[in-house]
Amino acid sequence: MLDDVDPFIGTAATDLPRAEGLAATWWWPKPQVGNTHPGATSPLGMVSACAYSGAYPTGYGRYAKNTEGVPEEMFDRMQASGFTHFQQSGTGAIRKYYNYVRVTPMVQPLDDLGQSWPLHDETAEPGYYAATLDTGIRSEITVGDKVAVHRYTFPRHSSARVVIDMSCGGLAIELGRTVPLRAQVESLGQGQAQGTVWMEGVPLSVFMEIDTPRWRQMLWYDRRLINGGTRLDFDSIRHTTLRPFGMLFMGPTLAGQTVEIRMGFSLRGHEQARRNLEKEAGGTESSAFDLVRSRTRARWGDHLDRVQVEGGTPARRTVLATSLYHSLIKPCFGDDESPFWPDSGPYAFDVCTMWDIYKTQLPLLSAIVPDRATDLLESLIRVCEEEGNFPIGYRMARGADRFFRQGSALAHTALADAHALGRDGLDWNWALVHMVDDLRRMYGEDFWEHGVVHPISHTLDLSFAHYATAKVARALNDRRLAEDLEERSRGWRNAFDPETGLLRDSEFYEGGKWNYSFRLLHDMRARIALAGGDTAFTRILDQFFGYGADPVTQPGRCPKPSEMAAGYALNRFEGLNNEPDMEAPWAYHYAGRPDRTAEVVNAALTWQFGTGRGGLPGNDDSGGLSSWYIWASLGLFPVAGQNLFLINSPAFRSAMIRTGEGEFVIETSGHRDSPIGVDGIDRTPPVQYVQAATLNGRPLEATHLSAADIHRGGRLQLTLGPEPSSWGRGIRPPSLSDSAAAP
């Protein structure tokens, strides 16, 4: 899988073949760009590094801020003013854009710092990024978990330099700049320097080394060198008073001479930054760059090998491998690095789009990196303990700028799944205390008092979180609490209009009531009955997915409000351009129509993803979208919070997912590889319907498995065919009201 990864996928505006069939009826309301970056990353590591242009939202690329349609360009070329550290991945308007500590190799005067030069010959692979600036300097970057190593190959010059700008932060867009509140920069001599900048309440420290025995090192302020200066201190900085500052190393170079700069980062001061650098890049006589690159590549190889496939076209394998790569960039882990509490242990940040990743990415991490998934939950519990509530989004920043409009009580789903799987390492009684208390905060207070809250999607969130928490309480023998929580979890009914079978009118965070009406609730039996039964529910699902509808025209650049209003009025599936309805295709399972799920998912895999920079249909959202692609390709879908997976026809002849306990293998017979759109369109009907299934050699009539079935390892064998079958129509996935309905 490692060699199939293309980190450039998703870095440019969507460029996919024109969809046909069902996928042609889906409408894309959100930005048509993946918003990923090709920079150097380590699996779930703290540090990333990439070329910096100031563009939205990662600091890489050419695009201005965009919220709908085709993104507008800020620049007409790929360019960079240097190379920065800490980037978002696939997000939209996340408000924390990082891009700290810009490193710029130059052969120009310091006055030219901040100028951008065209980029040429970009290359990238997991853990490595390289490009040539128009100045002729070849720039290479690799990273470890907490370190970055830059290597620059200079032309012959009498006064080459490497400039570190400690004041850099954010983007070159309105309201996108980040200014340090305080700063300290110190030149230590002998090719060493250190600095700390307080960015949005977080002290980010860096310790750096450079091997240039004939070079001078100096501090600078406002693009002027400070001769003989060894330290700069800034006690109070405002946007209006900020002048750039930092340090530089300067001297002559021969043609082809390389200069290596090694940087250790920490959120707990210079000394810990130094120790981080020594741990990951020290103790060798060979190049630290080569050492860090090889170690990070090996880590990526190990992580990416945890999902393997056979069959499929080269394009599908590239998209799958890259999706797995994107799914393992965030969240970021800085063990023993919390700047907010003094204890050791995991500290996770960039849990940026929890309202997306809780459905797909967190179950993926739980399966293939279970230790890290447990660390994430421990970190979230500690955040709740320190700050008073489970975060809906958590970044490397302090203060009240946390997300809350998007969703409520989402961490509860991951905690319930972890407890059901018997995960060790967490104090579950203490976790339950926080889960229960968190249910009464924010929107939860209104839900507690009235059983319904607007935006109405929060009613679904809170009902589900009560159900998830009840499962943990019951397992811990707190029956009274469990019964109370379970009763309150039935409040999802208050969100629906029985006349339409849809959610009641309300405000919604992105999308509309149709996009949120097909959540995989904990009581789908009752939800389908509320809509009028299987036939009626399937009918409104068919309408939502565009069965029998005409193709639509997607929004272009700067779409008019009337164009967007007409699109929203279609009440149509967003086609993976956005994630509020990403689980909706599997709602058919609960109505006994897994054949419909197969048709929708196969259309999405074929028409919504591709290779190349424009290969994503919308924002990757920290891996939430990429994780959807992985599960859909494997023929599985996790129902977060219910310890449940739904089965569908996979995109590959066979696949294996290596879990913490074993290997779960999915094998097919009757499978025929169907080219993804970029490989040329296959006009023959796909073999996409499950005819029969066995689990570990025993017949399986149900369309679902427990998460434990997958995590402990086993073998799922699926017989596929070109026509729908009776498989899965009789036995439905479990619902809360099943026991009440039983004779």
Side-chain angles (χ1 to χ4, degrees), residues 484-527:
D484 179 65
L485 292 169
E486 192 172 281
E487 182 59 32
R488 291 180 183 276
S489 80
R490 301 179 193 277
W492 64 266
R493 290 175 175 272
N494 301 331
F496 284 91
D497 180 355
E499 295 297 319
T500 65
L502 300 170
L503 288 172
R504 299 184 185 277
D505 291 335
S506 182
E507 295 180 354
F508 292 91
Y509 178 81
E510 300 180 356
K513 67 181 180 182
W514 283 76
N515 304 108
Y516 286 87
S517 284
F518 305 107
R519 287 272 191 91
L520 302 184
L521 304 178
H522 49 290
D523 199 352
M524 288 297 290
R525 173 192 286 271
R527 190 266 177 272

Side-chain angles (χ1 to χ4, degrees), residues 245-515:
F245 58 87
M247 59 200 75
L248 66 75
F249 303 89
M250 179 173 60
T253 54
L254 301 174
Q257 180 176 337
T258 62
V259 174
E260 184 175 282
I261 180 168
R262 301 176 291 279
M263 311 176 77
F265 292 92
S266 177
L267 305 179
R268 288 187 171 179
H270 301 135
E271 286 306 311
Q272 186 149 317
R274 181 200 292 262
R275 290 193 296 271
N276 291 341
L277 183 62
E278 291 174 350
K279 179 180 178 181
E280 293 195 62
T284 177
E285 296 181 359
S286 61
S287 165
F289 187 97
D290 294 335
L291 174 69
V292 172
R293 181 182 179 185
S294 64
R295 286 177 174 174
T296 300
R297 181 176 174 83
R299 282 197 300 272
W300 272 117
D302 173 62
H303 282 70
L304 294 171
D305 278 349
R306 297 178 192 186
V307 176
Q308 297 180 11
V309 297
E310 293 183 4
T313 64
R316 277 201 190 270
R317 289 194 295 273
T318 292
V319 176
L320 181 74
T322 306
S323 295
L324 185 55
Y325 167 75
H326 282 148
S327 299
L328 291 167
I329 292 176
K330 304 289 183 179
C332 294
F333 285 89
D335 294 335
D336 309 325
E337 290 288 351
S338 171
F340 307 134
W341 57 79
D343 299 342
S344 60
Y347 171 67
F349 60 91
D350 282 1
V351 189
C352 287
T353 58
M354 179 71 98
W355 50 97
D356 297 326
I357 67 174
Y358 86 93
K359 301 177 185 179
T360 55
Q361 188 193 23
L362 297 192
L364 181 66
L365 298 183
S366 178
I368 65 175
V369 283
D371 291 346
R372 271 311 189 201
T374 300
D375 289 343
L376 173 61
L377 296 179
E378 182 180 343
S379 180
L380 293 178
I381 291 170
R382 189 59 189 266
V383 170
C384 190
E385 180 179 339
E386 296 288 334
E387 300 188 13
N389 62 280
F390 282 114
I392 299 301
Y394 198 83
R395 293 149 300 172
M396 191 173 64
R398 188 160 198 169
D401 189 13
R402 302 276 190 257
F403 290 97
F404 65 93
R405 292 182 300 119
Q406 288 86 337
S408 291
L410 303 179
H412 297 61
T413 61
L415 285 162
D417 280 340
H419 187 271
L421 289 167
R423 295 283 193 242
D424 296 326
L426 295 175
D427 183 337
W428 283 109
N429 284 292
W430 188 228
L432 180 61
V433 168
H434 288 300
M435 293 173 75
V436 173
D437 285 349
D438 189 71
L439 291 174
R440 296 177 175 87
R441 298 185 178 113
M442 303 298 288
Y443 293 106
E445 183 177 0
D446 280 347
F447 181 81
W448 183 265
E449 293 180 357
H450 308 297
V452 65
V453 63
H454 291 268
I456 205 75
S457 58
H458 289 259
T459 300
L460 302 185
D461 290 340
L462 288 162
S463 298
F464 196 78
H466 277 77
Y467 166 78
T469 307
K471 293 203 317 182
V472 177
R474 193 173 298 280
L476 295 177
N477 294 316
D478 194 335
R479 295 181 180 179
R480 181 177 176 182
L481 175 62
E483 289 171 1
D484 179 65
L485 292 169
E486 192 172 281
E487 182 59 32
R488 291 180 183 276
S489 80
R490 301 179 193 277
W492 64 266
R493 290 175 175 272
N494 301 331
F496 284 91
D497 180 355
E499 295 297 319
T500 65
L502 300 170
L503 288 172
R504 299 184 185 277
D505 291 335
S506 182
E507 295 180 354
F508 292 91
Y509 178 81
E510 300 180 356
K513 67 181 180 182
W514 283 76
N515 304 108

Side-chain angles (χ1 to χ4, degrees), residues 225-242:
L225 297 175
I226 303 175
N227 289 312
T230 60
R231 179 164 169 153
L232 290 171
D233 286 277
F234 303 91
D235 294 330
S236 177
I237 303 173
R238 301 192 301 274
H239 279 73
T240 54
T241 62
L242 175 69

Side-chain angles (χ1 to χ4, degrees), residues 117-307:
W117 298 281
L119 288 175
H120 307 284
D121 302 323
E122 285 185 283
T123 60
E125 63 186 45
Y128 173 82
Y129 171 83
T132 300
L133 297 173
D134 208 42
T135 56
I137 302 170
R138 183 64 175 172
S139 306
E140 301 171 274
I141 312 172
T142 190
V143 300
D145 284 343
K146 300 180 183 181
V147 306
V149 186
H150 299 235
R151 183 165 65 192
Y152 300 113
T153 303
F154 282 89
R156 180 182 179 87
H157 201 274
S158 60
S159 185
R161 62 200 70 194
V162 175
V163 184
I164 295 90
D165 183 352
M166 295 291 293
S167 65
C168 186
L171 306 177
I173 63 169
E174 187 175 0
L175 303 180
R177 188 183 185 191
T178 304
V179 171
L181 305 175
R182 302 191 302 278
Q184 176 192 101
V185 185
E186 186 174 7
S187 176
L188 303 175
Q190 298 180 338
Q192 295 183 336
Q194 62 189 21
T196 298
V197 286
W198 279 261
M199 294 287 195
E200 300 178 292
V202 175
L204 174 66
S205 295
V206 58
F207 177 84
M208 62 192 75
E209 298 176 333
I210 186 169
D211 291 330
T212 51
R214 297 173 54 200
W215 282 25
R216 301 168 60 198
Q217 62 185 81
M218 304 177 70
L219 302 179
W220 59 273
Y221 173 72
D222 198 15
R223 294 183 177 82
R224 293 294 179 266
L225 297 175
I226 303 175
N227 289 312
T230 60
R231 179 164 169 153
L232 290 171
D233 286 277
F234 303 91
D235 294 330
S236 177
I237 303 173
R238 301 192 301 274
H239 279 73
T240 54
T241 62
L242 175 69
R243 300 293 182 271
F245 58 87
M247 59 200 75
L248 66 75
F249 303 89
M250 179 173 60
T253 54
L254 301 174
Q257 180 176 337
T258 62
V259 174
E260 184 175 282
I261 180 168
R262 301 176 291 279
M263 311 176 77
F265 292 92
S266 177
L267 305 179
R268 288 187 171 179
H270 301 135
E271 286 306 311
Q272 186 149 317
R274 181 200 292 262
R275 290 193 296 271
N276 291 341
L277 183 62
E278 291 174 350
K279 179 180 178 181
E280 293 195 62
T284 177
E285 296 181 359
S286 61
S287 165
F289 187 97
D290 294 335
L291 174 69
V292 172
R293 181 182 179 185
S294 64
R295 286 177 174 174
T296 300
R297 181 176 174 83
R299 282 197 300 272
W300 272 117
D302 173 62
H303 282 70
L304 294 171
D305 278 349
R306 297 178 192 186
V307 176

Side-chain angles (χ1 to χ4, degrees), residues 666-685:
I666 305 108
E667 295 179 331
T668 65
S669 59
H671 185 277
R672 183 178 67 241
D673 289 336
S674 178
I676 200 169
V678 292
D679 277 354
I681 308 307
D682 185 356
R683 304 292 179 183
T684 58

Side-chain angles (χ1 to χ4, degrees), residues 61-113:
R62 299 185 296 157
Y63 298 112
K65 185 175 181 179
N66 55 89
T67 58
E68 57 191 21
V70 178
E72 294 185 82
E73 296 177 354
M74 289 180 67
F75 316 113
D76 61 1
R77 64 187 185 184
M78 296 300 299
Q79 61 184 46
S81 62
F83 304 88
T84 55
H85 305 84
F86 304 95
Q87 285 82 20
Q88 295 294 350
S89 179
T91 61
I94 209 73
R95 296 196 298 276
K96 296 291 180 288
Y97 301 110
Y98 305 151
N99 289 291
Y100 301 147
V101 190
R102 180 176 59 186
V103 181
T104 304
M106 301 177 66
V107 290
Q108 294 83 6
L110 187 59
D111 283 341
D112 289 349
L113 183 68

Side-chain angles (χ1 to χ4, degrees), residues 24-29 514-515 540 542-546 549-555 563-573:
T25 71
W26 303 337
W27 187 70
W28 298 350
W514 283 76
N515 304 108
I540 58 175
D542 286 351
Q543 182 180 345
F544 176 61
F545 283 109
D550 294 328
V552 302
T553 300
Q554 304 299 348
E563 179 184 357
M564 297 301 295
Y568 280 116
L570 293 170
N571 298 320
R572 198 64 52 76
F573 180 51

